[in-house]
Amino acid sequence: KNQVEQSPQSLIILEGKNCTLQCNYTVSPFSNLRWYKQDTGRGPVSLTIMTFSENTKSNGRYTATLDADTKQSSLHITASQLSDSASYICVVSPFGNAGNMLTFGGGTRLMVKP
Amino acid sequence: EAQVTQNPRYLITVTGKKLTVTCSQNMNHEYMSWYRQDPGLGLRQIYYSMNVEVTDKGDVPEGYKVSRKEKRNFPLILESPSPNQTSLYFCASSPILGSAGTDTQYFGPGTRLTVL
């Protein structure tokens, strides 16, 4: 069964520090990998979308990387801000997925403290 | 403003009492989907629709129904809710073949459902 595993489950960092979140997946072959940010009690918001042929994508202070050989992705947050406190979800879409089925990771809950 | 709206945002009901959660998008998206989110399980797809009158099951369709009579609306129906359907529900939409391509998927604000 296709799986997406994220680590760590939770993380606390100080404001201004950098952090890296990990995503390992077993979906193969896959079409694209997405990172979402979800504030508590709200719907997820897209941060980055990478196809299998891309290995990095940035969105402001967020940079996602992808290694399709090892089936790993990471989300790097630079100079964290209090507003970065949220859950970050990795989502993988299988290739040739006519059904638009997305496989979601369990998320990493990030807390940024002043 | 481009958005996906859901109603109600919060609902407490009792076992067996039919309910409908509405979802509407104003972006003329063809693809719409329903998810439920439970602690420790992440988001799981319930049903999705590729276009009007085209719907299909996701990972966890049991106990749910959907309809897509108009492009903008995709209601989620629980004919006989049970306590194990207590969850946080999200509706989402995206342009054609949202997940197979690289189109952004837009999520609604969520509906927190409690079934007693």
Side-chain angles (χ1 to χ4, degrees), chain B residues 16-64:
Chain B
K17 186 176 182 182
K18 181 179 178 180
L19 66 91
T20 299
V21 183
T22 65
C23 173
S24 182
Q25 50 95 3
N26 63 0
M27 296 167 278
N28 201 37
H29 286 166
E30 282 160 342
Y31 173 80
M32 297 185 75
S33 181
W34 274 104
Y35 300 90
R36 62 178 288 174
Q37 187 174 35
D38 302 290
L41 294 177
L43 280 151
R44 294 178 293 168
Q45 191 173 41
I46 303 171
Y47 269 94
Y48 63 91
S49 170
M50 304 281 277
N51 212 327
V52 175
E53 301 292 0
V54 181
T55 64
D56 211 341
K57 297 177 181 178
D59 283 326
V60 288
E62 294 78 21
Y64 305 95

Side-chain angles (χ1 to χ4, degrees), chain B residues 8-114:
Chain B
R9 294 289 314 280
Y10 303 91
L11 179 61
I12 300 175
T13 189
V14 295
T15 299
K17 186 176 182 182
K18 181 179 178 180
L19 66 91
T20 299
V21 183
T22 65
C23 173
S24 182
Q25 50 95 3
N26 63 0
M27 296 167 278
N28 201 37
H29 286 166
E30 282 160 342
Y31 173 80
M32 297 185 75
S33 181
W34 274 104
Y35 300 90
R36 62 178 288 174
Q37 187 174 35
D38 302 290
L41 294 177
L43 280 151
R44 294 178 293 168
Q45 191 173 41
I46 303 171
Y47 269 94
Y48 63 91
S49 170
M50 304 281 277
N51 212 327
V52 175
E53 301 292 0
V54 181
T55 64
D56 211 341
K57 297 177 181 178
D59 283 326
V60 288
E62 294 78 21
Y64 305 95
K65 285 175 59 178
V66 293
S67 69
R68 189 88 181 275
K69 294 183 172 56
E70 309 164 278
K71 199 171 188 179
R72 64 181 292 125
N73 296 323
F74 189 44
L76 179 69
I77 303 156
L78 284 72
E79 294 271 4
S80 182
S82 61
N84 64 12
Q85 292 179 298
T86 293
S87 186
L88 180 58
Y89 292 86
F90 289 101
C91 179
S93 76
S94 66
I96 303 172
L97 296 177
S99 67
T102 55
D103 296 307
T104 296
Q105 191 169 49
Y106 296 85
F107 284 81
T111 295
R112 187 167 293 281
L113 172 66
T114 300

Side-chain angles (χ1 to χ4, degrees), chain A residues 9 11-13 16 18 20 26 32-33 49 51 67 69 79 81 87 100-101 106-107 109:
Chain A
Q9 280 193 322
L11 180 63
I12 301 174
I13 63 173
N18 303 335
T20 300
T26 61
N32 59 73
L33 185 145
I49 302 173
T51 66
D67 185 334
D69 291 331
Q81 300 176 358
S87 288
N100 282 279
M101 297 284 286
R109 184 175 294 278

